[in-house]
Amino acid sequence: MAEEVIMPGWKRWLEDIGDQVGFFFKFLKNIFVGGFEWSEFVRQCYEIGYRSMMLVGITSFIMGIVLILQLRPTLVSFGAASMLPRTLSVSFIREIGPVVIALICAGKIASSIGAELGSMKVTEQLDAMEVSGANPLQYLVVTRILATTFMVPLLSVIGDAIGLFGGFLALNIRDSISFSLYFTKVIGALDFTDFLPAFVKTIFFGFAIGFVGCYKGFHSNKGTESVGIAANSAVVTASLWIFVIDAIAVQITSLLFYK
Amino acid sequence: MAEAQVNVEPRNIRKDKDEVVISIKGVKKSFGTKQVLKNINLKLKRGENVVVLGRSGTGKSVAILCIVGLLKPDDGSLKVFGDEVAEMSDSELKQLRIKIGFLFQSGALYDSMTVRENLEFPLTRVLKIPDHAEIDRRVEEALESVGLLEAIDKLPSDLSGGMRKRAGLARTIIVNPEIILYDEPTTGLDPITSREISELILTIQKKNKTSSIIITHDMECARITADRIVVMDDGEFIAEGSFDDLHKSNNKIVASFFKDIS
C-alpha cells in the first residue's frame, strides 16, 4: 500500500533518534494522564519477573561456580586463596552480576516484548485498540516499561544472592569453608558504595530493556517478517544500551566514590 | 483511575434519515510518490449501508482509515457528524472513535485475552463502566446477537475464522456505535459463513440503526448488505448506484465485478 521513501542511512538514523525521543515523552505523559493500568502492570510484573526467575537463577548459580573455579588457580598461586570469597563478592555484586543478568533479561524480555507488540501491530490489534478510543500506549507500553524497570533490579538482587551461593558450593569442591565463614567474608568485603551504584544501574538497565522492546515492537513494519526483525533488533539494541549505561555508571561511580 | 463514565450520546444530532453522518469531499492521500487516493467524494446518510467495491490495492482501506483519523488526508475535506476529522484534538478524536465502530479484516481480537475480556476492554477502558453486572449483561447480549455466547471464555486462537469475525463484530457493536466501518468482513471465509456474516451486518443495521461503510469485493456480501454501492478504481470512485443499477452498467471495470452474477 505505502510506497517506501528511500532516504540516506544517516537521515533514517536521525529520524529514528527523534522517534525514540518522542516515544519517551509520550511514555512519560501516559504515566500520569488518563489512569494507570494496575492489573496489567501486576500481570506484566508476573510475566517479566516471576517467569524469568528460573533462567536468572540457574545462570547466576553457574556464573558463581565458574568464577570461583576460574579465580582459584591464580589466587592460589599468589597464596591468596582466602581472598576468593571477597574477590567473588566484589566482582559479582559490582559488575558481573548486574550486567550478565541484565543481558539475560534483554535476551528474554526485550525480545518477547518486541515480538508481542510487533505481532499485535501486524495483526492490526494496535490499530483496533486505537480506533476503539482506548490508549495502547497506556495499556501496553507504560505497564511493560514500568514492570521491567521494577523487576530487573529485583531479579538482579536475587541473581546476586544465588550466584554467591553457587560460589560457596564451588569453593567447597577443592577447599573446605563453612557457610557462616563464607558469608561473613562475602558481606564483610562489601560496603554501601558497592551495593548502591550496582542497584541503581539495574534500574536503568530495566528501563532500557522495557523501552527498547516496546519501541521496536510498536514501530515495526506491517509484514510478518517484521515481528522477527523487531524481536532481534530489540535484543541487540537493549544489549548495546546495557553496555553504554554500564560504562556511564562506572564513570559516575568512580567520580563519586573511588577518588 | 476514577474517571467519569463516558457519555456516548451524540451531541445535538438530528436523527433523521437524510442527515449526512460522513461527508468526504476531494480527499487525496499519497504515500511517498504513489498517490493512493486521487479524488474521493462520498456522503453517508444516517441508517444507510454503503458498499465500496474495488480490486485490492485501489485505496479502499486507506479511505476508511482516514475516516477514523488513523491516517491524515493530504488534501480535501473529511467530516464526520459535521466536524472536520483532520482538525480534531486527541480528546475530540477519542470521543469520535467511540461513535465509530471498526471491524478489521482479521477481526483484530487481542490475542492474550479471552473473548469475554476482548469485549470487556472497550467497556472498562473507553466507556469506563464501573458496574460489573452491567458489563456482564452487555458482553452476553453482544455475543448472543452474533451467536457466539458459547465461546465467551475461549481464547482467539481457539476460534475459527468465522467465529473471530463474529467476536470482532460483537466487540465493535458493544459500545453501540452510530457508524460501523467494515474492512472486507467476509474475506477468507467459506461461502456459507460469508453469507451469515453479511446477514449479520444487515441485522445489526436494522436493529441498531447504524450507518455503515462496507469495503468488500465479495459480490454476495454487496448484494445482501448494500443500500448503495460505489465502485473504486485507482484511487477514485468511478461508479455509484444500487446493486441492480450497477449490474446493468456498461463500464468495463464495473461490469467485471458483476460478470458472474446472473
Side-chain angles (χ1 to χ4, degrees):
Chain A
M1 179 177 67
E3 194 172 289
E4 280 290 321
V5 183
I6 297 163
M7 56 170 86
W10 64 269
K11 210 174 168 185
R12 235 184 359 246
W13 186 76
L14 280 179
E15 205 174 81
D16 193 46
I17 299 278
D19 283 348
Q20 289 193 37
V21 172
F23 193 68
F24 173 72
F25 283 110
K26 278 185 193 165
F27 157 73
L28 280 186
K29 183 185 155 196
N30 278 287
I31 296 175
F32 305 106
V33 178
F36 187 73
E37 293 279 354
W38 282 106
S39 59
E40 180 62 9
F41 170 70
V42 171
R43 196 177 78 83
Q44 286 305 321
C45 284
Y46 173 80
E47 292 288 334
I48 288 164
Y50 181 74
R51 286 184 184 265
S52 305
M53 220 170 262
M54 183 68 96
L55 180 66
V56 166
I58 291 171
T59 323
S60 304
F61 183 73
I62 293 169
M63 267 194 322
I65 292 174
V66 169
L67 275 172
I68 285 291
L69 296 179
Q70 294 276 26
L71 283 168
R72 192 177 179 282
T74 313
L75 289 180
V76 166
S77 71
F78 284 106
S82 63
M83 294 284 283
L84 270 170
R86 183 189 171 87
T87 314
L88 176 71
S89 68
V90 171
S91 58
F92 209 94
I93 299 290
R94 272 192 195 174
E95 184 61 31
I96 297 169
V99 171
V100 174
I101 290 165
L103 287 173
I104 289 163
C105 290
K108 186 179 185 297
I109 301 166
S111 63
S112 127
I113 293 176
E116 187 189 8
L117 297 191
S119 77
M120 284 184 82
K121 179 142 188 184
V122 170
T123 54
E124 298 176 310
Q125 292 174 55
L126 295 183
D127 286 343
M129 215 173 261
E130 198 162 348
V131 295
S132 74
N135 186 344
L137 277 165
Q138 217 159 50
Y139 183 74
L140 299 169
V141 173
V142 168
T143 51
R144 278 161 179 75
I145 295 178
L146 290 183
T148 52
T149 309
F150 187 68
M151 293 314 291
V152 170
L154 210 64
L155 286 170
S156 189
V157 169
I158 294 166
D160 285 349
I162 294 172
L164 293 177
F165 180 69
F168 164 72
L169 293 182
L171 205 56
N172 273 283
I173 295 172
R174 302 286 290 272
D175 304 302
S176 181
I177 185 168
S178 71
F179 188 76
S180 59
L181 177 61
Y182 174 78
F183 266 88
T184 306
K185 285 189 168 194
V186 161
I187 301 297
L190 300 168
D191 64 23
F192 173 76
T193 57
D194 297 311
F195 280 118
L196 187 73
F199 185 76
V200 170
K201 74 180 172 190
T202 58
I203 296 173
F204 286 94
F205 290 162
F207 174 81
I209 290 166
F211 182 83
V212 170
C214 287
Y215 175 79
K216 294 293 178 185
F218 225 75
H219 291 81
S220 63
N221 292 325
K222 285 212 163 174
T224 43
E225 64 170 14
S226 314
V227 178
I229 293 170
N232 182 267
S233 170
V235 177
V236 173
T237 314
S239 305
L240 191 65
W241 269 111
I242 286 164
F243 285 112
V244 171
I245 292 167
D246 192 45
I248 296 168
V250 166
Q251 291 300 319
I252 294 171
T253 310
S254 302
L255 285 172
L256 290 176
F257 301 114
Y258 312 129
K259 284 169 190 168
Chain B
M1 202 63 184
E3 284 190 21
Q5 191 175 326
V6 176
N7 178 18
V8 290
E9 281 302 306
R11 300 156 293 171
N12 304 322
I13 290 170
R14 279 189 311 126
K15 291 199 170 180
D16 59 64
K17 279 196 89 176
D18 291 331
E19 181 204 347
V20 174
V21 288
I22 295 179
S23 166
I24 304 174
K25 277 183 200 161
V27 163
K28 293 172 187 162
K29 177 74 189 170
S30 300
F31 294 100
T33 53
K34 184 170 169 60
Q35 195 171 19
V36 178
L37 299 182
K38 289 180 179 164
N39 182 23
I40 297 291
N41 296 285
L42 179 72
K43 280 184 179 173
L44 177 71
K45 290 179 184 169
R46 183 169 289 280
E48 187 183 28
N49 271 359
V50 169
V51 165
V52 180
L53 276 180
R55 289 179 301 146
S56 300
T58 49
K60 306 184 299 290
S61 299
V62 173
I64 56 169
L65 289 175
C66 288
I67 294 171
V68 286
L70 278 184
L71 292 174
K72 233 177 189 172
D74 299 330
D75 198 11
S77 160
L78 200 161
K79 290 181 179 175
V80 181
F81 299 122
D83 297 322
E84 194 68 52
V85 176
E87 290 168 7
M88 285 182 181
S89 64
D90 284 350
S91 60
E92 285 171 330
L93 207 51
K94 189 178 168 181
Q95 289 301 313
L96 175 74
R97 284 170 179 169
I98 296 171
K99 294 176 197 163
I100 303 179
F102 198 120
L103 182 68
F104 286 85
Q105 195 176 333
S106 59
L109 295 173
Y110 310 133
D111 284 338
S112 58
M113 302 179 198
T114 62
V115 171
R116 181 197 295 275
E117 288 163 343
N118 263 279
L119 268 70
E120 282 174 353
F121 193 87
L123 297 180
T124 53
R125 265 79 183 188
V126 182
L127 300 188
K128 299 189 188 298
I129 297 174
D131 181 5
H132 286 286
E134 166 72 1
I135 291 170
D136 287 345
R137 187 190 65 74
R138 286 178 75 158
V139 168
E140 283 169 18
E141 195 180 281
L143 282 175
E144 208 165 350
S145 68
V146 298
L148 205 66
L149 196 53
E150 78 281 1
I152 189 165
D153 290 318
K154 286 188 175 170
L155 282 166
S157 53
D158 298 329
L159 304 180
S160 67
M163 288 165 94
R164 279 166 171 257
K165 287 267 165 76
R166 283 172 189 272
L169 194 50
R171 190 181 62 187
T172 306
I173 60 172
I174 201 166
V175 292
N176 295 327
E178 294 179 48
I179 300 169
I180 304 182
L181 308 173
Y182 297 90
D183 190 3
E184 303 196 8
T186 57
T187 298
L189 301 178
D190 62 85
I192 298 167
T193 314
S194 293
R195 194 185 168 86
E196 284 173 1
I197 295 285
S198 304
E199 282 166 357
L200 201 54
I201 292 171
L202 197 64
T203 309
I204 288 165
Q205 181 214 13
K206 302 263 185 270
K207 191 177 159 196
N208 300 3
K209 309 270 183 281
T210 51
S211 319
S212 309
I213 294 180
I214 302 146
I215 285 177
T216 188
H217 30 69
D218 173 0
M219 296 310 293
E220 181 68 355
C221 173
R223 191 184 61 76
I224 294 170
T225 58
D227 293 320
R228 187 158 53 101
I229 297 176
V230 290
V231 182
M232 194 168 184
D233 188 61
D234 199 21
E236 284 178 298
F237 290 141
I238 55 165
E240 182 179 342
S242 68
F243 189 89
D244 291 334
D245 291 342
L246 293 179
H247 197 179
K248 294 167 201 153
S249 171
N250 293 324
N251 182 303
K252 262 175 85 175
I253 295 166
V254 178
S256 68
F257 279 101
F258 289 83
K259 71 172 188 220
D260 295 328
I261 310 283
S262 53

